[in-house]
Each structure stands twice: as structure tokens, then as C-alpha cells.
Amino acid sequence: MPLHIDVLTLFPRMLDGFLAESILGKGIGRGLLGVNVRDLRDWTADRHHTADDRPFGGGAGMVLKPEPVFAAIEQLQTPGCRRIYLTPDGTPFSEPLARELAGQSHLIFLSGHYEGIDQRIRDRVIDQEISIGDYVLTNGTLAAAVVIDALARFIPGVLGEEKSLTHESFTGKLLDFPHYTRPAEFRGMSVPAVLLSGHHGDIEAWRRAQSEEKTRQVRPDLLK
Ligand code: ADE
């Protein structure tokens, strides 16, 4: 059974282009994973489809109400599924976590918005909280897209070439080396001669040195 993902959001159309395009769209088209985007307002009971309300205790902004989220998750969840809330105060997202999520059978992503969501949602119907970085988005829908994109790369067959996974940043804890393609000479800039040499050992050594230097400059923390 391919991985199935439900995304619960108040802004479902934000994901239309993302899911239709590119390598991810192809993976979905080939049945390697399934993604259903669900509009939280479909689980609201009132005529105005109210999904949020003012916070108890006062303060700015609106809070996502518990009723539609509980109703949606209780309807969609399956035994063993993982229910994930995207939030800037969650566990930092990482490559190992992407790999782990790719190995699950059913994921439910809840996108929060405004000032936050009712704590009782987090206490009762969420298994894991994930942040994609130390900045605040207007809502978690794009964060869900980022997590889905990163985990999809670990689903067998999604990347055409299995090899492309191994060479890249973070898989080997070093940043990527520079890439070049034709033409060998462009506006006076030439491709490093070693890449045209045909000596695979030299090319490997050059790429390794470039990766180490880049990592030293940009992300010395990765070398520790
Ligand atoms: N929602 C808003 N900001 C976020 C972030 N940085 N990560 C995950 N979800 C979010």
C-alpha cells in the first residue's frame, strides 16, 4: 500500500499547483503516494462555517476551534496513522525525520493559522508537532507542503534516479558541490578543467574538497 497523506487546512487551494507539478505530481500520478487536501470548513456545523474564535483570557488574533478539527481527524484517522501539527514551536524538521515519515502508511497533517489552535487539539488528537524553521508563516499549509516534498524523495521510485539521493546535501552531512553543464565556456566563464578531464578519481576528490570548503564556510556546525 502506498503512503497516504491527508492535509487538513483552511486554505486548500494553496496546494493545487504544488501537487499538480513536478516530480511530486508525477509520483502521485504514478500512484507512488496519495495526497488528499481537505477543507477544514467541511467539518464546521454552522451556516457561516466558523472555524475560529477569540481567545479565552484575551489577546490579539483568533484561535482555531476544537470542534471541526476533532470531527475531521476522528473521521479521517486510521489505526496506526500519525497525526502531525505544523507549528513554529514544534520539533525542527530534518532529513532523518523526512525519511522516517516516508516509511509510514498514513499521515494526517494539520495546518494551523492565526494566533494558534485550541490546546485541547494538541493534547488529544495530535501525535507529533513539526516546525520547518525559526520563522513564522501565516499558516502551516506551506509548511505541510515542504514536509511532503522532502519526504516524497525517500519514497522508492519518486526520484527517477536512485543515485541522485546519495550525492546531495545533508544525506552525507556535507553541503553539495558545484554543478556545471554545457557549454564549457559561457560569457568568459569556464568549467573547472578537472570536470572535463574524465579522471573519475580526480573528480571525486575535487567534489569532496569543494563540499568540505562550502560546509566550512556556510555551515561549520555540520562538521562538529
Ligand atoms: N506555521 C507557521 N509557521 C510555521 C513554521 N515555521 N513551521 C511549521 N509550521 C508553521
Side-chain angles (χ1 to χ4, degrees):
M1 278 282 282
L3 169 62
H4 185 75
I5 299 173
D6 288 297
V7 185
L8 273 169
T9 170
L10 290 167
F11 309 102
R13 282 172 307 171
M14 285 183 78
L15 298 179
D16 285 354
F18 164 68
L19 293 173
E21 293 294 324
S22 178
I23 287 176
L24 188 74
K26 275 193 206 131
I28 292 169
R30 281 154 56 211
L32 300 173
L33 76 165
V35 183
N36 273 315
V37 183
R38 317 279 189 171
D39 189 340
L40 259 179
R41 290 190 203 280
D42 290 348
W43 283 272
T44 53
D46 64 308
R47 174 162 88 78
H48 299 292
H49 298 289
T50 312
D52 50 23
D53 207 338
R54 286 168 298 152
F56 280 126
M62 299 290 272
V63 175
L64 194 59
K65 291 164 64 61
E67 301 97 315
V69 179
F70 271 70
I73 292 182
E74 283 167 355
Q75 183 181 333
L76 297 173
Q77 68 191 354
T78 53
C81 78
R82 193 174 312 178
R83 304 162 299 181
I84 295 165
Y85 171 47
L86 285 312
T87 175
D89 56 5
T91 303
F93 188 53
S94 64
E95 197 87 338
L97 184 48
R99 191 189 295 270
E100 188 199 324
L101 294 178
Q104 303 293 309
S105 59
H106 183 196
L107 302 172
I108 299 177
F109 289 106
L110 173 65
S111 156
H113 84 140
Y114 301 132
E115 293 305 293
I117 68 173
D118 191 285
Q119 181 61 34
R120 290 165 291 188
I121 299 168
R122 301 169 77 155
D123 292 344
R124 288 294 169 80
V125 292
I126 292 298
D127 304 305
Q128 185 167 32
E129 302 184 334
I130 296 178
S131 166
I132 64 160
D134 289 340
Y135 41 80
V136 181
L137 306 168
T138 56
N139 71 86
T141 309
L142 288 179
V146 166
V147 173
I148 292 167
D149 196 276
L151 73 83
R153 298 174 65 255
F154 291 104
I155 296 173
V158 165
L159 296 183
E161 216 188 325
E162 214 61 45
K163 251 173 86 184
S164 42
L165 254 184
T166 59
H167 255 312
E168 283 177 39
S169 297
F170 294 112
T171 304
K173 289 274 187 218
L174 283 180
L175 300 186
D176 206 4
F177 49 77
H179 301 267
Y180 294 90
T181 186
R182 280 176 287 191
E185 189 80 30
F186 176 67
R187 298 196 180 180
M189 299 173 284
S190 42
V191 171
V194 62
L195 298 179
L196 310 175
S197 69
H199 292 126
H200 291 294
D202 290 358
I203 292 169
E204 277 304 309
W206 180 85
R207 286 178 166 167
R208 175 86 197 176
Q210 292 283 321
S211 281
E212 283 169 3
E213 184 51 28
K214 173 91 179 181
T215 310
R216 229 186 320 279
Q217 280 176 17
V218 178
R219 291 292 305 278
D221 56 297
L222 292 177
L223 294 170
K224 287 200 194 102

